[in-house]
Amino acid sequence: MPSSNPAAAPARGRHDRFWILGAICLAGLVLPLSFTAPPVAIPAIAAELGGSPVALNWMTNAFMLAFGSCLMAAGTLADTYGRKRVFATGIVAFAAVSLLLALAPSLAALNALRVLQGVAAALALAGGNAALSQEFHGPARIRAFSLLGTAFGLGLAFGPSLAGWLVQAQGWRSVFLSSLAIAVLATVFGLPRMRESRDPDAGGLDWRGSLSSTAMLALLTIGVLEAPERGWGDPWVLGALIGSALLLVWFVRIENRAQRPMLDLSLLRYPRFVGAQLLPIGTGLCYLALIVLLPVRLIGIHGLGTLDAGLMMIALSAPMLVVPMLAAVLNHRVGASTLCAAGLLLAAAGLAWLGWAAGRGEVAGLVAPMLLIGTGSAIPWGLMDGLAISVVPKERAGMAAGVFGASRVSGEGIALAIVAAALAGLLQWRLGQGGAAAGEALNQAAQRLATGDAVRAQALLPQFAPAALRAAYDSAFAWLMYALAGATAVVAWVVYALLGPVAEPAAQMAASAEALCEDGVR
């Protein structure tokens, strides 16, 4: 049986490793692209295929549901049956499904295929991350994972812009064809050079743990996705969240009794492992939330065109091109805990600055704080993938990749849902202070205004002039930014404490992390 030990495998040339890294980074680019790009094509899809708003929204939700709920099981599959095999299965299936999506004859077929695409994406991400950890070691691993984090961030940040251009130039089906092209490149250039590796002590898949974790994450994802539209008190939302909590308890019991669990719960005793899982929550609060909120503000409230809004968003996204690699270079001399905490604190300062500028109704004044937020967020973004893999022995790299992927998707999804609900709640409070009577009209107007639909919000509250609605939005948005700044600063402090306040450069991190976890995973 192939081993995870690099010494037991044939020597891998630097040229081959370069192609493997490039292929996995292409996969890391196309997977978030598949989440952020298709929603831009929804109007064009609706014009051709029809469908209700709920059915159209599930084109995005179906992908996220399948992707997020399958990540942990995919990581265990990679350790058990081989990282290359799981990555190959995922990326080839992703390419095939992308082609079928481009040929989809109906919205129902499109949504069903998006579920399959999400499953394929989970296999490709977990298998690719685990395979990458076998090819690079020490400081080289930090640099490799910083590149992967950069690719992932670029897919999230620039997906909407690419999709908008493709829809306008070639139609909505070209969005899925672009995913097909990138997946084919990753397959052709990466797979022939990738070696197989797996956990030599794996005794088979923990089916009970896999099924319970997948069901738990599926219900959690459903609850988070439906909460902004239905409300947190809706019976379906509450049922999904309560069901997820009960399945979590069952999952913990299963894993505690399993001889070879898919998630070694003893790792939760190690602060560094927990700290690595918290990093996506911090970046979700200070970066991903703005990717969703700012275009709505710029287009719906300030009246900017799509192109102008996209150009402004470059201030938030551009640091992802260079800062993650700079963070990897700095990590040779400065500990990851210090870098991650400093980055999150920079982002928190930028959020406070953004809130001040937004409260004054500025547009051009938003650019500088956006640049500061993007720079601060990009520092931990370039390190957290490598940290998540490095805090466990390499034999369990697939498990670490799956757990981190699941915590990333779940944490970011929860952060986005809470931010959306908080903005609507703050708007409802501000409009109520302005004289709007409590009731369904106020609730609906707040929801419409939170999504940038000022015209319908005013139709629901005709007593408010457009300037008054905008002032209410500016005030609510400012307070939301202050709250996010505080929450990001708290995450920065907790991450710094858990990852270790004593600086540990990348040269020592891999060895010390494996030694730290060795006793807990034997």
Side-chain angles (χ1 to χ4, degrees), residues 45-395:
I45 293 172
E48 180 177 339
L49 302 181
S52 66
V54 173
L56 289 165
N57 285 335
W58 268 99
M59 187 187 70
T60 300
N61 295 348
F63 178 86
M64 286 302 297
L65 174 61
F67 181 52
S69 59
C70 292
L71 273 167
M72 196 179 297
T76 302
L77 286 171
D79 282 339
T80 304
Y81 297 109
R83 286 87 186 225
K84 177 181 178 179
R85 180 178 298 176
V86 170
F87 174 75
T89 302
I91 199 67
V92 171
F94 186 90
V97 174
S98 297
L99 176 60
L100 294 176
L101 281 164
L103 303 173
S106 66
L107 184 60
L110 198 69
N111 286 342
L113 288 168
R114 287 284 280 170
V115 174
L116 297 178
Q117 192 182 37
V119 175
L123 293 171
L125 180 62
N129 279 11
L132 196 61
S133 72
Q134 311 303 311
E135 299 292 342
F136 295 89
H137 313 283
R141 180 188 288 179
I142 297 296
R143 291 193 296 270
F145 275 101
S146 70
L147 277 173
L148 179 60
T150 299
F152 204 91
L154 292 177
L156 282 173
F158 293 101
S161 301
L162 175 62
W165 177 78
L166 286 172
V167 170
Q168 186 174 353
Q170 302 293 333
W172 65 267
R173 297 180 188 272
S174 64
V175 173
F176 298 108
L177 289 176
S178 68
S179 296
L180 167 64
I182 297 174
V184 168
L185 287 175
T187 302
V188 170
F189 291 107
L191 286 183
R193 297 170 173 86
M194 190 180 294
R195 63 183 171 90
E196 186 60 281
S197 64
R198 58 173 63 92
D199 182 357
D201 297 322
L205 184 63
D206 176 14
W207 285 105
R208 291 176 58 192
S210 297
L211 292 174
S212 59
S213 69
T214 300
M216 172 193 69
L217 291 170
L219 286 179
L220 176 63
T221 305
I222 290 173
V224 168
L225 291 173
E226 292 294 313
E229 183 177 347
R230 291 176 174 265
W232 292 96
D234 180 82
W236 286 102
V237 173
L238 286 176
L241 296 177
I242 293 172
S244 177
L246 294 175
L247 283 169
L248 174 60
V249 174
W250 186 39
F251 172 71
V252 171
R253 292 188 62 185
I254 291 171
E255 298 306 280
N256 276 328
R257 297 176 180 178
Q259 185 175 3
R260 188 66 174 176
M262 67 175 297
L263 171 59
D264 194 329
L265 296 174
S266 66
L267 289 172
L268 297 176
R269 295 180 301 174
Y270 298 105
R272 176 167 286 174
F273 181 79
V274 179
Q277 313 310 312
L278 292 180
L279 282 171
I281 297 177
T283 55
L285 292 171
C286 63
Y287 180 69
L288 289 181
L290 295 186
I291 288 180
V292 176
L293 290 177
L294 280 175
V296 169
R297 176 185 177 89
L298 295 172
I299 297 171
I301 304 302
H302 290 296
L304 270 64
T306 305
L307 179 60
D308 290 336
L311 290 173
M312 278 197 67
M313 290 297 294
I314 291 176
L316 185 68
S317 305
M320 284 291 176
L321 293 169
V322 293
V323 173
M325 282 304 299
L326 292 177
V329 173
L330 285 173
N331 192 215
H332 293 313
R333 298 181 177 274
V334 183
S337 59
T338 302
L339 287 173
C340 291
L344 290 175
L345 288 175
L346 277 179
L351 285 168
W353 186 5
L354 185 70
W356 177 80
R360 294 161 57 93
E362 296 182 2
V363 178
L366 303 178
V367 173
M370 286 167 62
L371 186 61
L372 181 60
I373 294 168
T375 301
S377 304
I379 295 174
W381 194 281
L383 298 174
M384 59 187 182
D385 291 87
L387 280 170
I389 301 295
S390 297
V391 294
V392 302
K394 289 185 297 181
E395 289 78 11

Side-chain angles (χ1 to χ4, degrees), residues 28-37 149-160:
L29 173 68
V30 74
L31 300 184
L33 195 68
S34 299
F35 166 58
T36 58
T150 299
F152 204 91
L154 292 177
L156 282 173
F158 293 101

Side-chain angles (χ1 to χ4, degrees), residues 405-468:
S407 64
R408 168 183 248 168
V409 173
S410 300
E412 291 171 351
I414 291 171
L416 291 175
I418 291 175
V419 166
L423 179 59
L426 286 168
L427 281 168
Q428 194 169 352
W429 171 66
R430 289 296 299 162
L431 292 171
Q433 281 192 327
E440 186 62 25
L442 174 59
N443 181 47
Q444 290 188 16
Q447 294 287 346
R448 292 290 185 182
L449 197 56
T451 58
D453 193 348
V455 175
R456 292 190 183 182
Q458 189 176 15
L460 290 164
L461 299 175
Q463 68 271 33
F464 280 82

